């Protein structure tokens, strides 16, 4: 008799447990069916999407400031090295001697050109970088672009920490033989600022996010390879490739003419 009472008293508990299990299963089913469906196409896009290559972006990017004072080498060169830099960027100052070594190594080479682009970063620590870019453009109007650039990179810590940095730049202008009054006027003018803004627009279209960013024929060079040895290796390979393509086109033309 006592066993029957135990069985009957245990029955409601088993029913309650069964109901609880059904509720949990039902809730799990409802959660899964109510989630937004993810299409196979969406999964494919997420899994296979990659950043647009530099070559594709470059084709549609703004040209930047017209090349002139900011270019060294031949306008028709087969290889173009394009550097985006910020004058308050410590890394840019550290690689500046490297870039000068590369420029010197290919000086007079008709297959090489170097273009400097302004990319002042909009961060508090670089509060003078835009004005510094404008200063080099003002110097460029007097044919002293590269000389002013050297002054700013070599003395970066001096003028960066000084609230009277414009007076320091005027001193640099005087030291490199510039008309200081004209320099100050051009520093405040629109022409110089427009060139900086044009370079910024190009850099943004190329998805530049840090400085220095160095491109060789439209391909971004990893920062770890921004060394004299690595850059010369890449440039030499590009020159060799351009030469082989040119000779190949010439031989094809010769065959066509013979026929």
């Amino acid at each position: 008799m006592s066993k029957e009472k135990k069985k009957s008293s245990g029955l409601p508990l088993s029913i309650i447990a069964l109901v609880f299990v059904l509720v949990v299963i039902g809730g799990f089913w409802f959660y899964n069916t109510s989630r937004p469906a993810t299409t196979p196409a969406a999964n494919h896009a997420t899994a296979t999407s990659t950043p647009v290559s530099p070559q594709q972006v470059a084709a549609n990017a703004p040209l930047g400031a017209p090349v002139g004072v900011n270019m060294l080498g031949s306008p028709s060169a087969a290889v173009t090295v394009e550097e985006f830099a910020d004058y308050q960027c410590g890394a840019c100052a550290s690689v500046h001697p490297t870039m000068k070594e590369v420029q010197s190594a290919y000086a007079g080479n008709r297959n090489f050109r170097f273009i400097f682009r302004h990319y002042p970063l909009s961060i508090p620590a670089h509060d003078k970088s835009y004005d510094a870019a404008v200063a080099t453009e003002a110097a460029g109007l007097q044919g002293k672009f590269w000389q002013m650039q050297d002054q700013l990179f070599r003395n970066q810590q001096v003028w960066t920490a000084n609230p009277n940095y414009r007076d320091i730049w005027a001193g640099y202008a005087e030291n490199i033989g510039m008309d200081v009054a004209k320099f100050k006027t051009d520093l405040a003018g629109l022409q110089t600022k427009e060139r900086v803004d044009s370079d910024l627009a190009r850099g943004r279209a190329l998805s530049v996010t840090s400085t220095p960013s160095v491109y060789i024929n439209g391909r971004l060079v990893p920062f770890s390879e921004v060394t004299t040895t690595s850059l010369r290796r890449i440039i030499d390979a590009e020159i060799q490739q351009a030469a082989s393509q040119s000779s190949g086109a010439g031989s094809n033309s010769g065959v066509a003419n013979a026929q």
Side-chain angles (χ1 to χ4, degrees):
M1 185 74 178
S2 60
K3 289 183 179 179
E4 289 179 358
K5 287 183 178 179
K6 288 182 180 178
K7 287 182 180 179
S8 62
S9 62
L11 183 61
L13 293 176
S14 62
I15 294 174
I16 292 171
L18 179 62
V19 171
F20 177 78
V21 171
L22 291 175
V23 169
V24 170
I25 294 173
F28 182 75
W29 176 85
F30 178 79
Y31 172 76
N32 282 329
T33 56
S34 63
R35 292 172 63 187
T38 303
T39 64
N43 283 333
H44 177 75
T46 302
T48 62
S49 61
T50 55
V52 179
S53 69
Q55 298 94 317
Q56 291 174 315
V57 176
N60 300 317
L63 297 177
V67 292
V69 297
N70 62 333
M71 186 191 78
L72 298 171
S74 171
S76 59
V79 179
T80 297
V81 177
E82 190 174 19
E83 179 191 13
F84 289 82
D86 176 317
Y87 289 111
Q88 272 187 281
C89 163
C92 296
S94 68
V95 304
H96 181 60
T98 296
M99 307 313 294
K100 289 184 70 65
E101 288 176 7
V102 171
Q103 295 162 16
S104 177
Y106 294 93
N109 190 321
R110 62 184 179 85
N111 288 313
F112 172 86
R113 71 169 176 167
F114 178 88
I115 299 174
F116 182 88
R117 297 292 185 190
H118 303 290
Y119 203 74
L121 300 174
S122 299
I123 56 178
H126 292 217
D127 58 329
K128 306 175 184 70
S129 60
Y130 183 90
D131 287 347
V134 176
T136 58
E137 288 295 336
L141 294 177
Q142 297 186 49
K144 301 288 185 178
F145 179 89
W146 302 104
Q147 293 90 329
M148 180 60 78
Q149 180 182 95
D150 288 343
Q151 293 292 319
L152 293 180
F153 275 137
R154 289 173 182 170
N155 303 290
Q156 185 185 78
Q157 294 184 357
V158 175
W159 59 263
T160 295
N162 196 311
N164 298 317
Y165 60 94
R166 289 175 180 267
D167 293 336
I168 294 177
W169 296 347
Y172 296 159
E174 184 176 8
N175 291 340
I176 59 179
M178 291 175 56
D179 181 333
V180 177
K182 175 175 170 50
F183 168 73
K184 290 181 177 180
T185 299
D186 293 332
L187 185 58
L190 290 178
Q191 181 181 358
T192 49
K193 292 180 176 64
E194 286 173 353
R195 287 185 59 84
V196 175
D197 292 342
S198 294
D199 281 354
L200 273 170
R202 176 168 175 78
R204 288 167 182 154
L206 290 171
S207 300
V208 172
T209 57
S210 62
T211 57
S213 285
V214 178
Y215 292 81
I216 297 180
N217 280 356
R219 296 179 179 86
L220 179 64
V221 178
F223 181 70
S224 61
E225 294 189 40
V226 182
T227 65
T228 302
T229 301
S230 294
L231 291 175
R232 291 193 64 174
R233 173 179 53 79
I234 298 169
I235 293 168
D236 288 344
E238 290 289 322
I239 290 177
Q240 185 176 0
Q241 181 179 356
S244 63
Q245 291 176 347
S246 178
S247 62
S251 61
N252 290 336
S253 176
V255 171
N257 290 333
Q259 291 175 345

